[in-house]
Amino acid sequence: MKEGNRALSLYTLLVFIFLLGPLAIISVTSFEPGTILKFPPEGFSLRWYKNIFEVSMFMETFKTSVIVSMLGNLLALLLGVPAAYALSRFRFRGRDTLNALFLSPVLIPGIVLGFTLLRYLIVVYGLPIYAGLLIGHTVIMLPFIIRVIASSLANFDFAVEEAAQSLGAGRLYTFYKIVLPNIRSGIMAAILIAFLESFNNVDISVFMTGPGVSTLPIQMLTYVQNYFDPTIAAISVILMVLTAALMFIIERLMGFAYFTKR
Amino acid sequence: MNKRFLYLLLLPGILFLAAFMLIPIMLTIASTFVQDGQLTLEGYLHFFRDGYFNRILFTTLRVSVVTTLVCILLGYPTAYYISRTSARKKSILLALAIFPLLTSPVVRSFSWMIILGKKGLLNTFLLSTGLIHDPLEIMYTPVAMMVGLVHLFLPLIIITLLGVMENLDYELVLAARSLGASSFTAFRKIIFPLTVPGLIIGSILVFVGSLTAYTTPALLGGKERVISTFLYQNAMTLNDWQAASVIAVIMIVITFVVVGLMNKWANRLNPKG
C-alpha cells in the first residue's frame, strides 16, 4: 500500500500543477516590461499594472461589474432569503417543485438564458440594457443565495423560534431577533459566493452590452481577442488576489463544506 | 400555519423567475415553431439537414465527452488521495482546488492562450529541446478547447467526488481487509461502487458544463465553433434570431435529457436506494 500511496501522491501533485501552473504562469508574465507576453519575462516592471488604471475602459467596466454584482446581490437577497426560509421552515404541497424552480437557473445554459433575456427583456419588454444586465445577474445569483442560506438554516433548530413565538413574539420579530442572527455567517457567505458568480459571469453579460454598458469580463474578453499584451495578465493577478481574499473570508464564515456538497 | 404568510414569502421570488426566466424561455421555445404566421418544424429541419450545423453539434459532443473522461481520469484518483490524507493536508488541497473554481473563466482560458499559442510556452519549450522542428498548431483547435475545459471543470469533479468519499464509511473497508481482501479488492468491491453515484453526478456537471460553456471555446476555439459560440454568432453577428432560438432550444433539450437520464442512472446505482 505504501508504494501505491507514493504513486498516488505523485499523481495528485501533477494534477495540482496542471490546475495551478497556468495561473502561476499568468502571474509571472504580468511583470513583463516589453509589449509582448513572454515567459519567462525579460525583466521586472509594473508598467502593465499602471496601464490598467490609465485605460479608462477597464476602470469603467470594473465599476459597472461591482455595481451590478452588488445591486443584483441585494435584489437576490430580498427575493431569496424569504424563499429559503419558507422552503426550509415549512412543509407544504408543491414544496419540491418550488425548490426545483428556485434552483433551476443553474440548469438553464447561461448562454441560452442570456440570449432569451436579450430577445425578450430588451427587445420585447423594452427594458434598458443596464436593467437587463442587473436582472440577468439577479436570476443567476438567486440559486446560490437560496442554496447557501438553506444549508445554514438546515443547521438551525426551529424549536427555538417556536419557543419565542409561544412566548408572544411576532413572526417578523422572531425572524429578526432569533433566526437572522443565527444564520448571519451563512448569509454573508452566500453574498460573497453569489458576488463571485456574478462578477465572473460572461454568458449573460455578453448579450447585455451596449453603448457605455459592459462588464469587466466582457471587456477583458474583447481585449484578449484583439491585443496580446500583458495588460490582461496584470488584471488577472489583481482578480486572483481579490478571489483569494474573498475565499479566505468564506472559509472563516462557513468553511468549505458547502463546496463539496451537491 | 398561515397560508397567506407562506405566499408572501414565496411569491416575490416566483413572480421574478416567472417574468425574467420562465416566460422568456417559453416564448423563445414557442417562437421556433412559428414561421410567417404558420405552425412549422422547418426551423429544426433546416438545422438537422445542414452539414455545417451537424459538424458543430458533433464537435461539441465529442469535446464534451473527451473532457468528461479526462476529468474523471484526473479527478478520481486525486479526490481519493485528498479524502485519505491528513486533515491538515486535506484542507490545504481543498482550498487549492476551490481557488481556480472561483477564478474568472476569462483568466483561466487566457492562461492557456499563453501556454498553447504558436509562440507559446509549450512550443518554445518543445522547439528548444529539439523534440519538434515546427511549432505545433494547438490553439484554435478542439484539443485546445478540451485542455481549457478540463482545466475549467476538473476542480468541480474533484470536490464533488471528495464530498462523496468523505461520507464513505471506511469501517467497511477495514472489515473487508480483516476478512482477507487485498487493498485493491477492497477498493474495487467497496469504495468504487459506493462512489459511482457521485461519479455520475460529477460527470453530469462536467459534461453539461462543457456542452454549454462559452468563454473557453470563444477564446481557445477561434473559428472552430461549438454550439454555444454558434448560438452567440447567430444572435449577435448574423442577427438571425430565429436560428439562434432554435439552437437555444436544442441546447435546453440536450441539457435536460442528459441531466434527466444520468440522474436516473445515479439513483438506480445508489446502493442506499
Side-chain angles (χ1 to χ4, degrees):
Chain A
M1 192 62 191
K2 266 270 161 300
E3 209 49 24
N5 267 345
R6 205 167 306 147
L8 196 56
S9 76
L10 181 69
Y11 194 82
T12 305
L13 179 70
L14 291 176
V15 165
F16 274 93
I17 290 175
F18 169 75
L19 274 183
L20 300 169
L23 301 179
I25 288 167
I26 280 206
S27 309
V28 174
T29 53
S30 71
F31 299 109
E32 164 69 39
T35 51
I36 293 169
L37 262 171
K38 274 191 204 87
F39 186 91
E42 288 178 343
F44 178 87
S45 146
L46 292 176
R47 164 181 177 191
W48 300 105
Y49 287 87
K50 233 178 86 202
N51 190 42
I52 303 171
F53 296 98
E54 282 162 359
V55 182
S56 68
M57 58 185 170
F58 291 122
M59 295 312 285
E60 286 299 316
T61 53
F62 176 77
K63 233 187 309 178
T64 308
S65 280
V66 171
I67 293 171
V68 166
S69 299
M70 292 210 312
L71 281 181
N73 218 317
L74 191 68
L75 212 55
L77 280 172
L78 287 174
L79 300 166
V81 173
Y85 173 76
L87 292 169
S88 315
R89 175 75 173 84
F90 303 115
R91 300 274 166 275
F92 52 91
R93 218 152 52 96
R95 183 172 158 270
D96 288 342
T97 314
L98 283 182
N99 222 340
L101 169 72
F102 279 111
L103 300 182
S104 65
V106 288
L107 264 187
I108 309 288
I111 199 85
V112 169
L113 198 55
F115 167 66
T116 56
L117 290 183
L118 167 72
R119 182 163 180 189
Y120 289 98
L121 289 200
I122 312 284
V123 176
V124 178
Y125 298 176
L127 287 174
I129 288 182
Y130 207 98
L133 188 63
L134 184 63
I135 288 169
H137 279 241
T138 307
V139 172
I140 55 153
M141 277 190 260
L142 204 51
F144 290 92
I145 295 278
I146 290 187
R147 210 161 59 183
V148 179
I149 292 178
S151 81
S152 65
L153 278 170
N155 296 323
F156 174 70
D157 185 2
F158 286 108
V160 182
E161 190 194 26
E162 274 163 26
Q165 279 170 3
S166 72
L167 292 172
R171 276 205 182 283
L172 214 60
Y173 185 80
T174 47
F175 181 77
Y176 194 72
K177 282 284 180 186
I178 307 221
V179 183
L180 215 49
N182 272 292
I183 58 165
R184 202 170 39 202
S185 57
I187 292 180
M188 285 304 298
I191 290 174
L192 296 181
I193 291 169
F195 178 86
L196 280 171
E197 201 56 41
S198 156
F199 190 86
N200 290 334
N201 176 275
V202 168
D203 300 8
I204 307 281
S205 318
V206 80
F207 290 101
M208 305 284 161
T209 52
V213 184
S214 186
T215 63
L216 184 61
I218 303 305
Q219 187 63 60
M220 289 167 71
L221 202 65
T222 322
Y223 194 86
V224 172
Q225 284 165 339
N226 296 308
Y227 309 92
F228 205 65
D229 68 37
T231 312
I232 299 296
I235 299 181
S236 299
V237 172
I238 294 177
L239 290 183
M240 283 191 274
V241 171
L242 184 82
T243 306
L246 293 185
M247 234 181 93
F248 180 76
I249 304 173
I250 293 170
E251 208 280 328
R252 280 288 117 110
L253 289 169
M254 65 177 319
F256 287 143
Y258 161 75
F259 291 97
T260 54
K261 241 181 344 213
R262 281 296 140 193
Chain B
M1 174 219 5
N2 190 338
K3 268 254 153 68
R4 264 199 22 226
F5 178 64
L6 191 63
Y7 290 144
L8 204 66
L9 294 173
L10 290 165
L11 218 49
I14 296 172
L15 291 179
F16 185 85
L17 286 180
F20 302 127
M21 186 184 76
L22 293 181
I23 294 176
I25 286 176
M26 301 287 195
L27 289 174
T28 303
I29 295 174
S31 77
T32 58
F33 294 106
V34 182
Q35 223 164 40
D36 306 321
Q38 284 198 313
L39 219 58
T40 170
L41 284 173
E42 196 43 49
Y44 293 92
L45 292 175
H46 171 74
F47 265 101
F48 288 110
R49 280 197 295 248
D50 180 6
Y52 181 58
F53 177 73
N54 284 324
R55 221 181 60 221
I56 288 173
L57 198 58
F58 181 69
T59 306
T60 314
L61 290 171
R62 195 176 46 146
V63 165
S64 305
V65 168
V66 176
T67 300
T68 310
L69 292 177
V70 175
C71 277
I72 293 172
L73 217 62
L74 294 178
Y76 193 93
T78 305
Y80 183 66
Y81 177 82
I82 299 175
S83 77
R84 305 296 314 144
T85 193
S86 67
R88 215 184 109 70
K89 227 168 157 185
K90 193 185 293 182
S91 60
I92 295 172
L93 290 177
L94 182 57
L96 290 179
I98 292 171
F99 177 67
L101 195 69
L102 297 179
T103 300
S104 165
V106 180
V107 171
R108 295 171 66 193
S109 303
F110 178 62
S111 70
W112 285 103
M113 293 176 79
I114 303 177
I115 297 170
L116 301 178
K118 199 162 183 179
K119 290 179 179 160
L121 204 59
L122 186 68
N123 271 326
T124 312
F125 174 74
L126 290 176
L127 285 169
S128 73
T129 55
L131 279 171
I132 55 168
H133 296 291
D134 298 305
L136 302 171
E137 307 270 352
I138 309 173
M139 266 299 278
Y140 310 130
T141 66
V143 175
M145 283 195 247
M146 252 145 15
V147 173
L149 288 171
V150 169
H151 190 245
L152 206 58
F153 294 114
L154 185 53
L156 204 56
I157 199 164
I158 291 178
I159 62 174
T160 306
L161 284 169
L162 190 57
V164 181
M165 288 171 182
E166 296 262 77
N167 292 325
L168 215 95
D169 189 357
Y170 211 70
E171 302 275 300
L172 289 174
V173 178
L174 295 180
R177 296 277 286 149
S178 74
L179 292 172
S182 71
S183 58
F184 179 69
T185 309
F187 175 81
R188 195 168 54 88
K189 294 259 186 189
I190 298 173
I191 298 180
F192 187 72
L194 284 172
T195 54
V196 164
L199 192 58
I200 295 173
I201 302 292
S203 305
I204 297 178
L205 295 173
V206 177
F207 186 75
V208 170
S210 312
L211 208 62
T212 59
Y214 172 76
T215 313
T216 303
L219 284 179
L220 302 177
K223 284 201 166 52
E224 187 77 52
R225 295 263 171 266
V226 292
I227 192 158
S228 61
T229 50
F230 192 53
L231 165 62
Y232 179 81
Q233 185 194 25
N234 272 281
M236 301 300 270
T237 318
L238 307 173
N239 273 316
D240 187 346
W241 288 14
Q242 189 63 26
S245 302
V246 172
I247 302 167
V249 175
I250 294 173
M251 282 179 84
I252 294 177
V253 170
I254 297 179
T255 307
F256 275 73
V257 168
V258 170
V259 172
L261 285 180
M262 288 182 82
N263 259 329
K264 208 173 240 174
W265 192 30
N267 285 336
R268 182 138 32 98
L269 289 176
N270 195 340
K272 286 167 198 153

